[in-house]
């Protein structure tokens, strides 16, 4: 009987450990997807990965009337970047991307409705 109880407990511990990993993977995916869309001029995709607050603040960027138009125009031509590191703390995360210019790009993410969204980018 004890053996049966030990196996499910071990499975629960392994699955619980995987949850953090899936958040880290999701955070990485959202950050890289956002920056890739932003630098490609894909404002629609970039804005869909922002929190509502950040999308509102991005509206009017570059003198444009909306987030989609603003991010679609100002991100073009920025240097490519690769994932460098991330830190997940509950429902918040920080991601650092390394641009080819050597300048790090910092993104703050929050979990909204079970999905990770970019809440601030610099």
């Amino acid at each position: 009987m004890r053996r049966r109880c030990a196996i499910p407990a071990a499975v629960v511990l392994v699955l619980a450990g995987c949850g953090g990993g899936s958040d880290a993977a999701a955070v990485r995916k959202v950050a890289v997807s956002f920056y890739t869309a932003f630098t490609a001029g894909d404002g629609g995709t970039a804005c869909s990965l922002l929190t509502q607050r950040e999308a509102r603040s991005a509206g009017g960027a570059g003198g444009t009337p909306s987030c989609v138009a603003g991010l679609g125009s100002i991100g073009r031509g920025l240097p490519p970047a690769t994932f460098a590191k991330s830190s997940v703390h509950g429902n918040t995360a920080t991601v650092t991307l390394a641009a080819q210019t050597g300048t790090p790009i910092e993104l703050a993410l929050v979990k909204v409705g079970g999905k990770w969204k970019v809440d601030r980018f610099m």
Side-chain angles (χ1 to χ4, degrees), residues 57-96:
S57 73
T64 61
S66 70
C67 177
V68 172
L71 293 188
S73 65
I74 64 172
R76 273 179 223 227
L78 290 176
T82 58
F83 175 81
K85 64 182 178 176
S86 68
S87 176
V88 178
H89 300 284
N91 289 331
T92 63
T94 304
V95 174
T96 302

Side-chain angles (χ1 to χ4, degrees), residues 29-88:
K29 181 178 179 180
V30 168
V32 170
S33 295
F34 166 77
Y35 191 77
T36 300
F38 180 54
T39 58
D42 183 356
T45 298
C47 289
S48 75
L49 297 170
L50 296 176
T51 60
Q52 288 182 358
R53 183 195 63 77
E54 187 66 1
R56 279 192 305 273
S57 73
T64 61
S66 70
C67 177
V68 172
L71 293 188
S73 65
I74 64 172
R76 273 179 223 227
L78 290 176
T82 58
F83 175 81
K85 64 182 178 176
S86 68
S87 176
V88 178

